[in-house]
Amino acid sequence: MADLNEVTQIMSANNAFVPGKRIKFDFGGDGVILLDGVAEVVTTEDADADTVIKMSFDNFKKMAKGELNAAGAFMMGKIKISGDMGLAMQLQSVTSKIKLGG
């Protein structure tokens, strides 16, 4: 199963960011992934973002593998979003850019 650094590298290789915007995935104790569309990089830097998406790293991986629907996870409280909700709505397009193996 992919760890945080592997997922960050996969997302970076696939340009999984929204141009001109910053989205931070906050996985609590497991760390963060910052999709920095301003600098056009994906890092594990814990910096300010336009949108912060808090969820477990396990649920993120399930979503990336298509095993968990983002809207359903939000409705069940598995995802908490702060900041620009419009960016959060683009979450599915971001996760569709990565392919995580089992």
Side-chain angles (χ1 to χ4, degrees):
M1 186 62 74
D3 68 16
L4 187 71
N5 288 325
E6 290 172 314
V7 171
T8 303
Q9 290 170 359
I10 292 167
M11 293 179 85
S12 182
N14 289 285
N15 295 320
F17 50 78
V18 177
K21 300 292 182 179
R22 290 186 177 106
I23 301 172
K24 179 169 58 177
F25 288 94
D26 182 345
F27 304 121
D30 288 325
V32 303
I33 294 177
L34 178 67
L35 311 179
D36 189 341
V38 175
E40 297 187 348
V41 297
V42 179
T43 71
T44 55
E45 179 184 355
D46 191 358
D48 289 337
D50 299 295
T51 302
V52 177
I53 301 167
K54 292 185 178 185
M55 63 192 306
S56 74
F57 189 52
D58 284 341
N59 281 337
F60 175 83
K61 289 187 285 187
K62 287 178 186 174
M63 214 168 48
K65 290 193 291 185
E67 297 172 0
L68 180 64
N69 175 278
F74 178 77
M75 298 299 284
M76 293 185 292
K78 293 181 178 187
I79 298 175
K80 305 264 191 259
I81 301 168
S82 58
D84 185 338
M85 289 296 287
L87 280 178
M89 299 303 288
Q90 297 179 43
L91 180 61
Q92 199 67 41
S93 68
V94 169
T95 57
S96 71
K97 292 182 178 181
I98 62 173
K99 303 286 185 250
L100 298 180

